[in-house]
Amino acid sequence: VDVAIEELKKNRKNIKQEEIQLEEQRIDELQGKWKRRMLGLIRFIGELFKKGMVSSTIITTCIEELLKDRKTIPNEQDIESLCKLIRTVGYTFCSKEKVDSNYMKFFDSCFNRMNELSKDRNLNSRLRFSLEEIIELRNNNWIERRQQEGPSKIDEIHKKAAEEEYLKNQNNLNARYNRPVYNQMPVKNNYDYSINRTKSLSNEQIYRNNTDDNEKRLRNDTIHNSKQIVNLGKTLVDDFLNTYSITDAKDIINDSNGSIEFLNSTLLYIFDKYVNSSNQDIQKRLLELLVILDNELIKAKQFIWQTVISIENLRLLPDFLKDCIMAPELYGELIGVLMRINVANKTDLTEFVSSVKQENLDNENTIDVIDNAFNRLITSAIKNYNNVT
């Protein structure tokens, strides 16, 4: 990439403007591709460390090389790689090496250097914010402050607008009949459930006895509208990660009344969090939550499996490898748990893999890359299916 840029500068006078623009566009594409591969490789090294396949010495050497000495300011790529590596290995490194004072002294000195760089005006604001975010992550015991979300699709925007309009109409009706607004219920345990919990309905018994059948149906529509159900799924996951309370989790599951929409939204949220998290404790709790959901998932297993195999990153696994090198193993661990609780079986998995191979060939992936990605997925799923601990 650097060579291509230098050649473009040397020959700029002899090239037409249109050709220059095309060449600059090609270089931007090369830089983006190289950057994705570099960050993917960094995360791969971090994941190997978490699995015990890479030593702490190698990680410290990588950090030392990326961070440079105090007289040299690292380049942009090195800082991005450093943040990616520490985000991936930080929790495991601190848990594993806290007994070794030499490693922890090294880690402390690295964060002191990162703190200096985060205040260096010679770096652009994006890199400074990235460094500050990693420092904050360590101070917060490696617990992510917020869930990172991607851009919304057009269909999702339209759906959200329709749901907001529905809620507005329901609230107008609630005000007309002097009824409570269900998306503004009191907060329990400092976590906003964003939904009227079933057990709180007893407080409205007097009102319920004085309403006719139409008003009762209207209330049920309010309680079970799609946005509230989706929020309930996210609440279940976030609440369980924060409190680790099985009792509260089962309460929320009971409130869902076995809704397919609730189960689908919860499952998708669990899969997304699991694959995008580098915290092993969070991943462990997400797997435990799947087991807690087993009875509900089994009742609707034909719908649940269809939801799983519709996940775009899973279907296009070879492409997703560029962003997440360990994706086959992570998805395999989740599917292995679903197989263990009888939501799916080995035949379902092999049939799914066979059906999506052609889809990936159409995306210009080589057969070797496709086979490697899905063989890793199957191996991981079967390994976790057999792991009954």
Short mmCIF file of all heavy atoms in Angstrom, two decimals, residues 350-374:
data_model
loop_
_atom_site.label_atom_id
_atom_site.label_comp_id
_atom_site.label_asym_id
_atom_site.label_seq_id
_atom_site.Cartn_x
_atom_site.Cartn_y
_atom_site.Cartn_z
N THR A 350 -25.65 -30.05 9.73
CA THR A 350 -25.02 -30.44 8.46
C THR A 350 -25.88 -30.04 7.27
O THR A 350 -25.35 -29.62 6.23
CB THR A 350 -24.75 -31.95 8.43
OG1 THR A 350 -25.97 -32.66 8.73
CG2 THR A 350 -23.69 -32.34 9.45
N GLU A 351 -27.20 -30.13 7.41
CA GLU A 351 -28.08 -29.70 6.31
C GLU A 351 -27.97 -28.19 6.09
O GLU A 351 -27.98 -27.72 4.94
CB GLU A 351 -29.53 -30.08 6.63
CG GLU A 351 -29.80 -31.57 6.52
CD GLU A 351 -31.24 -31.92 6.87
OE1 GLU A 351 -31.98 -31.00 7.32
OE2 GLU A 351 -31.64 -33.09 6.70
N PHE A 352 -27.88 -27.44 7.18
CA PHE A 352 -27.72 -25.99 7.06
C PHE A 352 -26.41 -25.65 6.34
O PHE A 352 -26.40 -24.84 5.41
CB PHE A 352 -27.74 -25.34 8.44
CG PHE A 352 -27.12 -23.97 8.49
CD1 PHE A 352 -27.74 -22.89 7.87
CD2 PHE A 352 -25.90 -23.75 9.12
CE1 PHE A 352 -27.16 -21.63 7.88
CE2 PHE A 352 -25.32 -22.50 9.15
CZ PHE A 352 -25.96 -21.43 8.53
N VAL A 353 -25.31 -26.30 6.74
CA VAL A 353 -24.01 -26.03 6.12
C VAL A 353 -24.05 -26.35 4.64
O VAL A 353 -23.55 -25.58 3.80
CB VAL A 353 -22.90 -26.83 6.84
CG1 VAL A 353 -21.60 -26.76 6.04
CG2 VAL A 353 -22.69 -26.30 8.25
N SER A 354 -24.65 -27.47 4.27
CA SER A 354 -24.74 -27.85 2.86
C SER A 354 -25.54 -26.83 2.06
O SER A 354 -25.20 -26.53 0.91
CB SER A 354 -25.40 -29.23 2.72
OG SER A 354 -24.65 -30.23 3.38
N SER A 355 -26.58 -26.29 2.67
CA SER A 355 -27.46 -25.37 1.94
C SER A 355 -26.83 -24.00 1.69
O SER A 355 -27.20 -23.31 0.74
CB SER A 355 -28.77 -25.19 2.70
OG SER A 355 -28.56 -24.50 3.92
N VAL A 356 -25.88 -23.59 2.55
CA VAL A 356 -25.32 -22.24 2.41
C VAL A 356 -23.98 -22.22 1.69
O VAL A 356 -23.45 -21.13 1.42
CB VAL A 356 -25.16 -21.54 3.79
CG1 VAL A 356 -26.51 -21.32 4.43
CG2 VAL A 356 -24.25 -22.34 4.70
N LYS A 357 -23.44 -23.37 1.37
CA LYS A 357 -22.14 -23.38 0.68
C LYS A 357 -22.24 -22.71 -0.69
O LYS A 357 -21.36 -21.93 -1.07
CB LYS A 357 -21.62 -24.80 0.55
CG LYS A 357 -20.98 -25.33 1.83
CD LYS A 357 -20.27 -26.64 1.62
CE LYS A 357 -19.54 -27.07 2.91
NZ LYS A 357 -18.82 -28.35 2.72
N GLN A 358 -23.30 -23.01 -1.44
CA GLN A 358 -23.46 -22.39 -2.75
C GLN A 358 -23.64 -20.89 -2.63
O GLN A 358 -23.13 -20.11 -3.44
CB GLN A 358 -24.66 -23.00 -3.47
CG GLN A 358 -24.87 -22.48 -4.88
CD GLN A 358 -23.65 -22.74 -5.77
OE1 GLN A 358 -23.13 -23.85 -5.79
NE2 GLN A 358 -23.20 -21.72 -6.49
N GLU A 359 -24.36 -20.47 -1.59
CA GLU A 359 -24.56 -19.05 -1.34
C GLU A 359 -23.23 -18.32 -1.16
O GLU A 359 -23.04 -17.20 -1.63
CB GLU A 359 -25.43 -18.88 -0.10
CG GLU A 359 -25.85 -17.46 0.20
CD GLU A 359 -26.77 -17.38 1.41
OE1 GLU A 359 -27.32 -18.42 1.82
OE2 GLU A 359 -26.94 -16.26 1.94
N ASN A 360 -22.27 -18.99 -0.52
CA ASN A 360 -20.96 -18.38 -0.31
C ASN A 360 -20.08 -18.46 -1.55
O ASN A 360 -19.23 -17.60 -1.77
CB ASN A 360 -20.27 -19.06 0.88
CG ASN A 360 -20.81 -18.58 2.21
OD1 ASN A 360 -20.37 -17.58 2.75
ND2 ASN A 360 -21.79 -19.31 2.75
N LEU A 361 -20.27 -19.50 -2.37
CA LEU A 361 -19.54 -19.57 -3.65
C LEU A 361 -19.94 -18.41 -4.55
O LEU A 361 -19.12 -17.86 -5.28
CB LEU A 361 -19.83 -20.90 -4.34
CG LEU A 361 -19.07 -22.12 -3.80
CD1 LEU A 361 -19.59 -23.39 -4.45
CD2 LEU A 361 -17.57 -21.98 -4.04
N ASP A 362 -21.21 -18.03 -4.49
CA ASP A 362 -21.69 -16.90 -5.29
C ASP A 362 -21.06 -15.59 -4.85
O ASP A 362 -21.05 -14.62 -5.60
CB ASP A 362 -23.22 -16.79 -5.18
CG ASP A 362 -23.92 -17.98 -5.84
OD1 ASP A 362 -23.27 -18.66 -6.65
OD2 ASP A 362 -25.09 -18.24 -5.51
N ASN A 363 -20.54 -15.55 -3.62
CA ASN A 363 -19.87 -14.34 -3.10
C ASN A 363 -18.38 -14.35 -3.38
O ASN A 363 -17.61 -13.63 -2.74
CB ASN A 363 -20.10 -14.22 -1.59
CG ASN A 363 -21.51 -13.77 -1.27
OD1 ASN A 363 -22.23 -13.33 -2.15
ND2 ASN A 363 -21.91 -13.90 -0.03
N GLU A 364 -17.95 -15.20 -4.30
CA GLU A 364 -16.57 -15.25 -4.78
C GLU A 364 -15.58 -15.73 -3.72
O GLU A 364 -14.41 -15.38 -3.76
CB GLU A 364 -16.14 -13.87 -5.31
CG GLU A 364 -17.00 -13.38 -6.47
CD GLU A 364 -16.54 -12.02 -7.00
OE1 GLU A 364 -15.65 -11.43 -6.36
OE2 GLU A 364 -17.06 -11.59 -8.03
N ASN A 365 -16.06 -16.54 -2.78
CA ASN A 365 -15.14 -17.19 -1.84
C ASN A 365 -14.66 -18.49 -2.45
O ASN A 365 -15.39 -19.16 -3.18
CB ASN A 365 -15.86 -17.48 -0.52
CG ASN A 365 -16.10 -16.24 0.29
OD1 ASN A 365 -15.17 -15.54 0.68
ND2 ASN A 365 -17.36 -15.92 0.55
N THR A 366 -13.43 -18.87 -2.15
CA THR A 366 -12.90 -20.13 -2.66
C THR A 366 -13.48 -21.30 -1.87
O THR A 366 -13.90 -21.15 -0.72
CB THR A 366 -11.37 -20.16 -2.56
OG1 THR A 366 -10.99 -20.12 -1.18
CG2 THR A 366 -10.75 -18.98 -3.29
N ILE A 367 -13.48 -22.47 -2.49
CA ILE A 367 -14.02 -23.66 -1.84
C ILE A 367 -13.25 -23.97 -0.57
O ILE A 367 -13.83 -24.35 0.46
CB ILE A 367 -13.98 -24.87 -2.81
CG1 ILE A 367 -14.92 -24.60 -4.00
CG2 ILE A 367 -14.37 -26.15 -2.10
CD1 ILE A 367 -14.91 -25.69 -5.04
N ASP A 368 -11.91 -23.79 -0.61
CA ASP A 368 -11.09 -24.08 0.57
C ASP A 368 -11.47 -23.20 1.75
O ASP A 368 -11.57 -23.66 2.90
CB ASP A 368 -9.60 -23.90 0.24
CG ASP A 368 -9.08 -24.98 -0.69
OD1 ASP A 368 -9.75 -26.04 -0.77
OD2 ASP A 368 -8.03 -24.77 -1.31
N VAL A 369 -11.67 -21.90 1.49
CA VAL A 369 -12.04 -20.96 2.56
C VAL A 369 -13.41 -21.32 3.14
O VAL A 369 -13.61 -21.32 4.36
CB VAL A 369 -12.06 -19.51 2.02
CG1 VAL A 369 -12.65 -18.56 3.05
CG2 VAL A 369 -10.65 -19.06 1.65
N ILE A 370 -14.36 -21.65 2.26
CA ILE A 370 -15.71 -22.00 2.71
C ILE A 370 -15.68 -23.28 3.54
O ILE A 370 -16.26 -23.34 4.63
CB ILE A 370 -16.65 -22.17 1.49
CG1 ILE A 370 -16.81 -20.83 0.77
CG2 ILE A 370 -18.01 -22.72 1.93
CD1 ILE A 370 -17.54 -20.94 -0.55
N ASP A 371 -14.99 -24.31 3.03
CA ASP A 371 -14.92 -25.59 3.76
C ASP A 371 -14.25 -25.41 5.11
O ASP A 371 -14.70 -25.96 6.12
CB ASP A 371 -14.15 -26.63 2.93
CG ASP A 371 -14.98 -27.15 1.76
OD1 ASP A 371 -16.21 -26.97 1.79
OD2 ASP A 371 -14.40 -27.72 0.83
N ASN A 372 -13.17 -24.63 5.15
CA ASN A 372 -12.46 -24.40 6.40
C ASN A 372 -13.34 -23.73 7.44
O ASN A 372 -13.39 -24.15 8.60
CB ASN A 372 -11.21 -23.55 6.14
CG ASN A 372 -10.49 -23.18 7.43
OD1 ASN A 372 -10.66 -22.10 7.98
ND2 ASN A 372 -9.67 -24.09 7.92
N ALA A 373 -14.08 -22.68 7.01
CA ALA A 373 -14.93 -21.93 7.94
C ALA A 373 -16.03 -22.82 8.53
O ALA A 373 -16.25 -22.86 9.75
CB ALA A 373 -15.55 -20.72 7.24
N PHE A 374 -16.74 -23.56 7.66
CA PHE A 374 -17.88 -24.34 8.15
C PHE A 374 -17.43 -25.64 8.83
O PHE A 374 -18.15 -26.14 9.71
CB PHE A 374 -18.85 -24.62 7.00
CG PHE A 374 -19.64 -23.41 6.61
CD1 PHE A 374 -19.41 -22.77 5.41
CD2 PHE A 374 -20.61 -22.90 7.46
CE1 PHE A 374 -20.14 -21.65 5.05
CE2 PHE A 374 -21.35 -21.77 7.11
CZ PHE A 374 -21.11 -21.15 5.91
#
